[in-house]
Amino acid sequence: MPVLPATAETVARAAQALSRGECVAFPTETVYGLGANALNAAAVARVFAAKARPRFNPLIVHVPDRAAAEAYAEFDETARRLADAFWPGPLSLVLPKRAGCGIADLVTAGLDTIALRAPNHAVAQALLAEANIPLAAPSANRSGRISPTSAAHVAAELGDSPAMILDGGPCARGIESTVVRVTGDAPVLLRLGAVPREDVEAVLGHALSAAGEDTPIASPGQLERHYAPATPLRLGATSVNADEALLAFGPNAPAGASTTLNLSASGDLAEAATNIFASLRTLDEAGVSAIAVMPIPDHGLGEAINDRLRRAAKSR
Ligand code: TXA
Ligand code: MG
């Protein structure tokens, strides 16, 4: 399982591996993805196996741009407006899948919709250009676990299963893409993520509707327990016990924890998003009885951070 620095040469080798139906882990601006040729069902099956991911949970297909995406999905005016505003970038659009588009049914879990995004990362874009195939790529972690924001995290999660792990350094955004469904009715927010809800709503000119709690598997990233460390989390902590680690936010972290990491000492939500998964991973290894997490403001990127923390805190 070679972790290789991303260079023109290793990207070319990764593209060849993908064309042969192998899986390759690669960096994006959000988290690392475990990619496979989305046109090849056997290749996609390897991704599900490597992650131990339930097959009813569909994958996001990565493409260079909207022109490429239009081969696989039907874009209405709203979808075009969102793609043009946010691509390349951390917005995934769930759109009606084009009949006969060649995307393996396993990618979309048999749904008549498909999730697409154009990543804003030079290595991901170079890989897409070199391979010249759409890449189905979920986050490169075992199902239900913390998403990886470095090549070392991917190696810790997946061991030998990817043919290659391209190392492009730490992910700049640190939290997954925002997922919005645009299938004719009012656009629906399926997953909070790296594009704040307010930014999508500003482009739309109206509020997004939320997927109802009872929507059957509208987006399984919404599965209750997810992004979970082994150590229990205690959210909204304003004080800390000696046997706890502290995940702090802002300048006023309480003293007394056995270990403290601050998501952003200056209280910057973008910085906190970048650090959230790596911090949870580090504190999970601190051998403490619980991780106390300070309150995070629930606006902008804070909404997505709090979503991940709530899911990580759900008891088994
Ligand atoms: O930032 C990201 O989106 C990362 C990087 C690698 O691009 N990928 C990622 O993939 O987070 P994954 O598989 O961990 O999450 C995909 C999300 C899931 O919540 C899935 O249920 C949803 O997208 N999804 C995919 N296709 C869908 C569809 N047709 N309808 C509804 N939800 C869909
Ligand atoms: Mg994931």
Side-chain angles (χ1 to χ4, degrees):
M1 169 277 314
V3 175
L4 295 170
T7 63
E9 194 262 321
T10 56
V11 166
R13 275 167 56 198
Q16 287 159 15
L18 289 165
S19 303
R20 287 193 301 270
E22 293 172 29
C23 301
V24 168
F26 63 95
T28 80
E29 77 279 33
T30 58
V31 301
Y32 275 71
L34 180 63
N37 181 355
L39 306 170
N40 176 338
V44 175
R46 284 187 196 104
V47 169
F48 279 90
K51 285 183 56 92
R53 180 175 175 115
R55 292 209 175 195
F56 58 75
N57 193 356
L59 309 181
I60 295 172
V61 175
H62 296 65
V63 292
D65 53 25
R66 175 160 69 80
E70 296 223 20
Y72 309 113
E74 282 159 31
F75 281 69
D76 66 10
E77 200 206 306
T78 304
R80 287 207 176 102
R81 185 138 42 92
L82 290 173
D84 292 346
F86 295 106
W87 286 6
L91 178 72
S92 294
L93 293 172
V94 171
L95 305 174
K97 184 179 173 182
R98 243 181 227 293
C101 69
I103 298 288
D105 280 337
L106 191 51
V107 171
T108 52
L111 299 170
D112 55 7
T113 54
I114 180 171
L116 287 155
R117 94 171 183 97
N120 185 16
H121 192 290
V123 174
Q125 284 288 343
L127 188 60
L128 287 165
E130 189 77 32
N132 198 26
I133 42 183
L135 296 180
S139 52
N141 52 279
R142 278 175 291 124
S143 189
R145 290 257 315 150
I146 304 169
S147 300
T149 54
S150 75
H153 295 166
V154 179
E157 285 289 320
L158 298 178
D160 283 339
S161 37
M164 216 186 213
I165 300 172
L166 285 176
D167 188 349
C171 301
R173 301 299 196 104
I175 202 158
E176 296 87 347
S177 62
T178 302
V179 182
V180 175
R181 186 175 67 208
V182 183
T183 48
D185 308 333
V188 177
L189 179 61
L190 294 180
R191 179 175 75 180
L192 291 157
V195 177
R197 170 210 297 273
E198 295 89 330
D199 293 11
V200 180
E201 291 177 341
V203 169
L204 290 173
H206 59 78
L208 278 163
S209 17
E213 289 278 327
D214 52 351
T215 311
I217 208 86
S219 191
Q222 306 295 59
L223 289 175
E224 286 267 276
R225 186 176 162 77
H226 212 95
Y227 315 104
T231 314
L233 295 193
R234 186 166 68 81
L235 303 185
T238 49
S239 65
V240 66
N241 306 320
D243 60 343
E244 288 181 327
L246 177 66
L247 188 56
F249 178 81
N252 301 316
S258 67
T259 315
T260 297
L261 289 180
N262 201 322
L263 290 171
S264 172
S266 67
D268 177 43
L269 289 168
E271 185 184 14
T274 303
N275 291 330
I276 182 74
F277 290 138
S279 302
L280 284 175
R281 223 171 249 282
T282 303
L283 294 182
D284 198 20
E285 282 153 18
V288 290
S289 65
I291 301 170
V293 186
M294 285 178 70
I296 315 269
D298 204 32
H299 59 77
L301 286 171
E303 225 190 335
I305 296 170
N306 283 323
D307 169 80
R308 301 304 189 269
L309 286 169
R310 269 195 306 276
R311 291 176 203 287
K314 277 268 145 67
S315 56
R316 277 140 266 222

